Amino acid sequence: MRAMAVTAYGEPLVEIDVAEPVVPHGYALLEVVTCGVCFSDVKVSRGLMPFSDTVALPHVPGHEIFGRVLRTEPEGLVEPGTRGTVFHSWSCGRCEACRRGDLALCDNLSGWVGFTTPGGFRERIAVPVDRIIPIPPSIDPVHAAPMSCALGTAYRSVVVRGGVKASSTVAVIGLGGVGIHAAQIARTAGAWVVGFDPHEATRAAARELNLVARPSDDDAVDDALREVGREGFDVVVDTVGHGETVAMADRLVRRAGRIVVVGYGPRSMVGVDTSRLVLDEIDVVGSRYAHLDDLERAVALVAGDRVRTIVGLVAPLDRVNEVFAALEAGDVVGRAVLDVAGVAGPAS
C-alpha cells in the first residue's frame, strides 16, 4: 500500500510501501479519500514536536482524514460506504483526565493519528468505529478534509474555551487554517468579529466571506480598538501562539476579558504582565483540538451552510513535499488538502 513517510527528520517525505492495516475488533477499514495538511504536519515531519524523539521512523503523518468505510470487524458495525472524518485522538476512557471528561488530555492514548501513530498520508487506515464522524453527502471530499482539526479546533477555541455568545466582541489573530474558521464560527454565534492577518491574500479570502479582516500592525489594532467602542474585545483567539501575537492579544482584550491561545511552537515561551493579569482579571486559557461532541456540532454548522471550510491548495499525495513548501512560505489560504484517492476537482 502506497504511503508518504518521514524517513529522516528535516528531509523530504519519501514514497514507501506499507503493509495493509490490521483491523481489530471494533474498528473500521477506511479508504483515505482526502487528507488535510496543516503546519502541525510540517512540525511532525521536521522533528519539531515535543514527542519527536519517541516516534519510530519511518512515520506516516496526516491527521485530517476524510474517508470511506470499506468494512468493519465484525461486519455491520458501520455501513460500508459511510463517509466520515476521523477524530484523531483515541483516548483510553480510563485515566484521570478521561474520567473527568478531558479526553484531549488523555494520558494513555491508543492512537494519536498522524502525530505519534501512523496517519492519513496513505491509501487505507484502520480506525475505531466510534471515532468516525459521519459527513453528509452535500459536503464534497475536498472540503470535508479540514473538518477534523481545522474546524474542530476552531469550534472548541471559540465556543467552549472562549465562551463566545451573541453580542460578544471577538478578535481572531491569524486567519489561517484554524483562524478563518474560528472567525466564521464566532460570527455564527452572534459575535462582532475582527480578524487580523499579515497576508493580503488571506485577508481577501476572509473578506469574500464578509468577515472584517485587518493587517497585523499597530495601526490596525488601534483602529479596531476605536471601533469596538469599549475597553477592548471580550475574547481574543490567538491561533499563532508567538510572543508577539500574545502581546497583541493583551493589547486587544478588555479588562475581565479572555485570551484563548490555540497556536503553539515547541519552544515558544509567552507571557502576560502579572499586574495586568491580576488587577484587570484577564483570563488566559489554552485550547487543544476538540472533543467528539465539539466536532459533531462543528460539522453540523458546515452541513447547515452556516460555516464554510476554506481550501486554498489541492495536490495529489505524492506532491506532499510541495504542499509543505507552500505552507512554510505562507502561500496557502485556509487549508491545503491531499487528494489521496484522486477524486478532487480544482481548489476553491
Side-chain angles (χ1 to χ4, degrees):
M1 179 179 64
R2 187 171 59 114
M4 295 298 294
V6 183
T7 57
Y9 287 136
E11 297 296 323
L13 273 64
V14 175
E15 184 171 326
I16 64 171
D17 185 64
V18 296
E20 286 290 335
V22 175
V23 185
H25 186 89
Y27 277 59
L29 178 65
L30 287 189
E31 175 193 17
V32 178
V33 179
T34 54
C35 190
V37 186
C38 85
F39 213 84
S40 291
D41 297 307
V42 177
K43 291 187 288 187
V44 167
S45 300
R46 303 293 189 248
L48 298 176
M49 295 298 256
F51 52 77
S52 294
D53 290 344
T54 68
V55 176
L57 302 182
H59 172 68
V60 179
H63 59 281
E64 288 193 326
I65 299 169
F66 169 74
R68 184 183 299 112
V69 174
L70 299 175
R71 64 180 178 88
T72 65
E73 179 59 44
E75 292 183 8
L77 296 179
V78 177
E79 188 71 22
T82 296
R83 308 162 79 248
T85 189
V86 175
F87 187 82
H88 63 250
S89 181
W90 301 351
S91 50
C92 71
R94 300 181 302 276
C95 68
E96 289 186 12
C98 286
R99 290 201 301 272
R100 67 174 181 259
D102 291 330
L103 302 183
L105 305 181
C106 175
D107 293 325
N108 189 32
L109 291 172
S110 62
W112 192 11
V113 178
F115 291 93
T116 59
T117 54
F121 291 179
R122 57 178 173 170
E123 294 175 312
R124 287 173 292 283
I125 188 170
V127 304
V129 295
D130 63 357
R131 294 300 187 267
I132 300 171
I133 307 296
I135 300 296
S138 60
I139 300 172
D140 70 81
V142 167
H143 289 90
M147 287 187 167
S148 172
C149 182
L151 185 71
T153 300
Y155 182 93
R156 183 167 180 81
S157 68
V158 170
V159 176
V160 180
R161 302 294 282 167
V164 172
K165 55 185 182 297
S167 80
S168 294
T169 55
V170 178
V172 178
I173 300 174
L175 293 172
V178 172
I180 201 163
H181 300 108
Q184 293 182 74
I185 291 165
R187 182 180 60 187
T188 297
W192 185 75
V193 186
V194 178
F196 297 88
D197 198 280
H199 300 107
E200 172 54 31
T202 296
R203 297 196 301 271
R207 290 194 291 268
E208 288 179 5
L209 298 167
N210 295 315
L211 295 167
V212 178
R214 303 280 175 77
S216 299
D217 56 36
D218 290 340
D219 289 342
V221 170
D222 290 340
D223 289 344
L225 287 171
R226 281 191 293 270
E227 287 182 17
V228 78
R230 291 181 274 183
E231 299 173 285
F233 288 83
D234 299 321
V235 180
V236 182
V237 179
D238 179 4
T239 71
V240 183
H242 293 169
E244 60 269 24
T245 57
V246 173
M248 181 179 173
D250 185 28
R251 284 187 62 199
L252 287 164
V253 73
R254 64 164 171 83
R255 290 185 296 173
R258 177 170 295 179
I259 298 171
V260 183
V261 183
V262 186
Y264 70 97
R267 302 176 188 89
S268 294
M269 297 294 292
V270 300
V272 177
D273 188 284
T274 53
S275 63
R276 167 89 157 129
L277 192 68
V278 174
L279 299 180
D280 288 345
E281 291 194 331
I282 304 299
D283 288 338
V284 181
V285 301
S287 187
R288 177 180 180 178
Y289 188 34
H291 289 188
L292 277 164
D293 58 340
D294 300 328
L295 186 50
E296 288 169 344
R297 293 186 178 99
V299 168
L301 291 178
V302 178
D305 293 325
R306 302 179 68 191
V307 171
R308 178 185 172 195
T309 53
I310 304 302
V311 175
L313 175 63
V314 182
L317 177 61
D318 59 7
R319 288 175 53 193
V320 63
N321 292 306
E322 296 174 37
V323 174
F324 279 8
L327 284 168
E328 290 177 306
D331 292 336
V332 178
V333 174
R335 262 300 187 254
V337 171
L338 294 178
D339 177 13
V340 180
V343 298
S348 61

